[in-house]
Amino acid sequence: MSTPRLVAKIEAEEPTLRLAVLIDADNAQAAVIEGILGEVARFGEATVKRIYGDFTSSNSASWKKVLHKYAIKPVQQFAYSTGKNATDSTLIIDAMDLLYTRRFDGFCLVTSDSDFTGLATRLREEGLVVMGFGENKTPDAFRNACHKFILTEVLRPTQPEPEKVSDPKTEAAGVAAASGTTIRVTTAATPEKPQLPRKFMLSALEQSSDESGWAHLGTFGSYLTKLQPDFDSRVYGFKKLSDLVKSRQDIFMTDERTVPGREQKQLYLKPR
């Protein structure tokens, strides 16, 4: 269940959580580090940024290029034996050392490895906010051990659309059409977005609504995270939860209400 501190910091204008960002180099991608740190900045300040792995290995080459740029402290860990992951143990020991300093409000664990489920659970037992970052393959056990889990796929930088140039295949197809010859041209398939979990969202809306049946967007979003820590509107193609709600008028009714004494408006919704 999400802690009141996490919800308060999410809704606050200035994030103040002191966070320790710990990265498992063996189970994380360097290509998304900018997106991860940007996401962390939404919730608080990354007071500590450390990455754990064997940086003498060629597999860590991509990480070496970004460590200085983002001021991430590398913690070298040699593999003691084949098939054993010494990196996990080092990260967990460091996390517990940082925990007992009592200087942090939360931890950000960047990994797709379920072996850190116990660590996430232990940190939560101490009343700290735990945020997880991992790929879609991350097991549910680790996802649900976090207050909030964010898929790194949605944090990948978008590639600019290439300029239109003459396509040899298209030209060949035109020549073939003129000559009566058939040429089969294949294109790369675009990955489909997952289907919106309508039943789950309506269940969260029911729990977050008041006696009139209306729910504040912030309260609704908080319940979504409580029920499913890895829920993220960006997975379904929407930058914000408000954009998702407004686009699905077949499911939700929306009402923008003016806050008394302020020009700001707040969004409320109810099932249609």
Side-chain angles (χ1 to χ4, degrees), residues 22-211:
L22 307 181
I23 305 169
D24 175 14
D26 297 334
N27 289 285
Q29 299 289 330
V32 295
I33 187 59
E34 183 176 0
I36 290 174
L37 294 179
E39 196 72 16
V40 170
R42 291 180 53 217
F43 300 97
E45 178 188 359
T47 308
V48 166
K49 292 179 286 185
R50 297 180 185 176
I51 184 169
Y52 302 80
D54 183 1
F55 298 100
T56 63
S57 169
S58 59
N59 295 333
S60 301
S62 59
W63 278 111
K64 296 179 195 176
K65 299 177 181 178
V66 300
L67 297 184
H68 289 300
K69 180 178 180 180
Y70 296 104
I72 302 172
K73 178 182 178 181
V75 179
Q76 171 64 29
Q77 179 58 59
F78 294 101
Y80 295 126
S81 59
T82 305
K84 301 295 183 180
N85 196 342
T87 300
D88 292 6
S89 300
T90 305
L91 191 157
I92 292 171
I93 292 171
D94 253 17
M96 298 308 294
D97 286 344
L98 293 172
L99 165 65
Y100 291 124
T101 65
R102 306 298 178 187
R103 294 187 292 110
F104 299 93
D105 300 306
F107 283 74
C108 301
L109 305 178
V110 184
T111 181
S112 301
D113 191 346
S114 63
D115 289 347
F116 293 99
T117 302
L119 173 61
T121 303
R122 181 70 180 87
L123 295 172
R124 287 188 64 159
E125 289 175 351
E126 290 291 328
L128 300 182
V129 173
V130 181
M131 297 178 59
F133 295 83
E135 298 177 355
N136 196 41
K137 65 181 181 181
T138 307
D140 290 339
F142 178 67
R143 298 189 190 204
N144 294 329
C146 302
H147 288 102
K148 178 68 178 175
F149 182 84
I150 299 170
L151 291 171
T152 55
E153 282 85 353
V154 303
L155 302 178
R156 291 186 179 278
T158 55
Q159 298 294 332
E161 294 185 4
E163 296 181 3
K164 292 184 178 180
V165 296
S166 58
D167 187 351
K169 292 183 178 179
T170 304
E171 293 179 356
V175 173
S179 62
T181 305
T182 301
I183 294 181
R184 193 180 300 275
V185 179
T186 59
T187 57
T190 303
E192 295 184 2
K193 294 182 177 63
Q195 186 176 2
L196 189 70
R198 178 170 180 162
K199 183 177 180 181
F200 161 69
M201 296 191 71
L202 289 176
S203 174
L205 182 55
E206 180 181 359
Q207 297 182 52
S208 58
S209 60
D210 57 23
E211 294 181 355

